[in-house]
Amino acid sequence: MKIIDIIRADKPSLSFEVFPPKTSDKFDTVKDATEKIATLKPSFMSVTYGAGGGTSEYTLSIAKNIQENYNVPTLAHLTCVNSTKSEVKSRLEMLKNNGIENILALRGDITPENQNREKWDYHFSNQLVEEIKNSYDFCVGGACYPECHPESIHQKEDILNLKRKIDAGCEFLTTQMFFDNNVLYNYLYKIREAGITVPIIAGIMPVTNAKQIKRSCELSNCTLPQRFKAIVDRYGDNPEAMKQAGIAYATDQIIDLFANGVNAVHVYSMNKPDVAEKIQDNLSEIIK
Ligand code: FAD
């Protein structure tokens, strides 16, 4: 099933993200966690992509397993940085031949290991979107950044670049995590004004571990509101209390989003079935 049809429906959509293992010895543990999340029957599940090593193969096997054995539609992430056209083409063929219908088309991060630009056939995600849309029938989504992509000098430039992705055929956008819904509402106003009308899926991160959050906010350019910082200050050293507060905070954000007409929410569930289940339970009447 195509993600665009799920998120365009009247019913609110709640989906979960999982990530593949980096090494084969972790495969069974991760597979088990993704299966537990799949039994919750979310609207769809996305599986992230790590270029190189085993992880790129695992994205497909995890997505295929969820789709075929749990009947949950999947969204396979794909990055293009540091890839040749023929590498991307063979990956697309593999996804198609295994029944995957939806791709989140990403550039990927530029790291010290992949600086050799001579090898690159793609520099930005709009080139990947165009490549996929020119030759395949996948439903294609992309990423967007309510607080601006860290490489962009300002938001106006970032939104102009986002428009290139849409013009290339990107059908929906999933946001980077954010902790203040007003940030998203302001961003929606700006992108709509720029002529971007595709559905937006709001990405929500339930913070259950205080240590991770500072680093991931620095990397992803997202700010922590005072209300959230107070929770981390108070409960950060008590893992169970932090988990409960993090789930409550995420639930609160999601209810506010649905109440304000954002009909699709994607939870960065980080391979944690208990967190996914609690959030879904908290919303049981709302997503009925
Ligand atoms: P782009 O859309 O190419 O944008 C990158 C930067 O270039 C931005 O500053 C943009 O303004 C600018 N830009 C874009 N197009 C142009 C252009 N034509 N000309 C000039 N400038 C341009 N990473 C992974 O490795 N695996 C994953 O599975 C993964 N999943 C993600 C899911 C979501 C929802 C999000 C938000 C991010 C994800 N990422 C993932 C991280 C992502 O790869 C990084 O944020 C990366 O730095 C940018 O990817 P992008 O597709 O947004 O890039």
Side-chain angles (χ1 to χ4, degrees):
M1 187 166 190
K2 299 263 167 84
I3 302 293
I4 190 69
D5 296 325
I6 298 170
I7 57 178
R8 278 206 194 279
D10 277 346
K11 195 175 175 292
S13 125
L14 185 73
S15 50
F16 294 120
E17 180 171 293
V18 294
F19 57 85
K22 286 205 169 72
T23 49
S24 59
D25 56 319
K26 301 271 170 19
F27 184 81
D28 287 340
T29 314
V30 170
K31 183 167 170 264
D32 184 53
T34 63
E35 288 177 345
K36 285 191 176 122
I37 295 176
T39 57
L40 300 172
K41 297 282 175 215
S43 303
F44 68 90
M45 283 170 71
S46 79
V47 188
T48 65
Y49 184 85
T55 52
S56 50
E57 309 305 327
Y58 299 147
T59 298
L60 173 58
S61 53
I62 287 175
K64 187 172 148 83
N65 178 44
I66 293 166
Q67 202 161 270
E68 287 182 357
N69 297 321
Y70 294 85
N71 208 17
V72 174
T74 56
L75 170 63
H77 295 204
L78 179 66
T79 64
C80 61
V81 73
N82 204 24
S83 299
T84 62
K85 280 196 180 226
S86 76
E87 284 164 349
V88 165
K89 197 162 168 39
S90 79
R91 202 147 292 285
L92 291 170
E93 286 295 321
M94 227 160 28
L95 291 168
K96 184 180 91 174
N97 295 336
N98 283 281
I100 304 298
E101 293 182 86
N102 306 287
I103 297 179
L104 195 76
L106 301 145
R107 184 197 65 187
D109 280 325
I110 297 170
T111 63
E113 294 82 48
N114 65 14
Q115 299 272 359
N116 181 11
R117 294 182 184 230
E118 277 161 34
K119 192 191 164 231
W120 296 6
D121 279 338
Y122 309 87
H123 294 270
F124 299 107
S125 65
N126 62 294
Q127 296 167 306
L128 177 61
V129 174
E130 194 176 330
E131 177 92 31
I132 302 173
K133 279 308 210 183
N134 278 346
S135 315
Y136 296 89
D137 184 36
F138 291 109
C139 168
V140 177
C144 67
Y145 302 84
E147 295 182 78
C148 202
H149 186 275
E151 285 167 37
S152 283
I153 297 164
H154 51 66
Q155 196 165 46
K156 200 167 176 188
E157 177 199 277
D158 201 29
I159 292 176
L160 281 174
N161 290 328
L162 186 65
K163 181 80 168 50
R164 297 175 198 255
K165 193 151 39 178
I166 305 303
D167 293 343
C170 179
E171 292 156 87
F172 65 90
L173 294 164
T174 307
T175 75
Q176 178 62 280
M177 62 182 174
F178 57 91
F179 295 96
D180 175 354
N181 288 358
N182 286 325
V183 166
L184 181 77
Y185 301 141
N186 287 333
Y187 182 66
L188 284 178
Y189 175 78
K190 288 181 192 160
I191 63 172
R192 298 310 187 209
E193 210 180 25
I196 296 171
T197 57
V198 298
I200 306 296
I201 306 179
I204 295 295
M205 170 78 88
V207 177
T208 56
N209 178 336
K211 283 192 192 120
Q212 281 167 355
I213 193 59
K214 193 166 176 282
R215 175 99 182 107
S216 52
C217 280
E218 278 165 7
L219 288 174
S220 62
N221 214 21
C222 80
T223 46
L224 284 178
Q226 194 49 46
R227 193 167 81 84
F228 187 86
K229 282 184 188 159
I231 290 175
V232 178
D233 285 346
R234 180 75 174 84
Y235 304 113
D237 294 332
N238 178 342
E240 285 310 309
M242 185 61 227
K243 191 171 180 177
Q244 196 168 45
I247 289 169
Y249 191 95
T251 303
D252 195 36
Q253 266 194 291
I254 297 171
I255 293 172
D256 181 72
L257 288 165
F258 284 147
N260 282 285
V262 177
N263 224 23
V265 172
H266 193 57
V267 177
Y268 295 117
S269 49
M270 310 286 288
N271 297 356
K272 291 179 182 151
D274 56 333
V275 173
E277 186 172 7
K278 285 215 168 82
I279 289 184
Q280 185 155 301
D281 278 355
N282 287 347
L283 300 166
S284 58
E285 292 301 316
I286 289 164
I287 55 174
K288 236 181 197 170

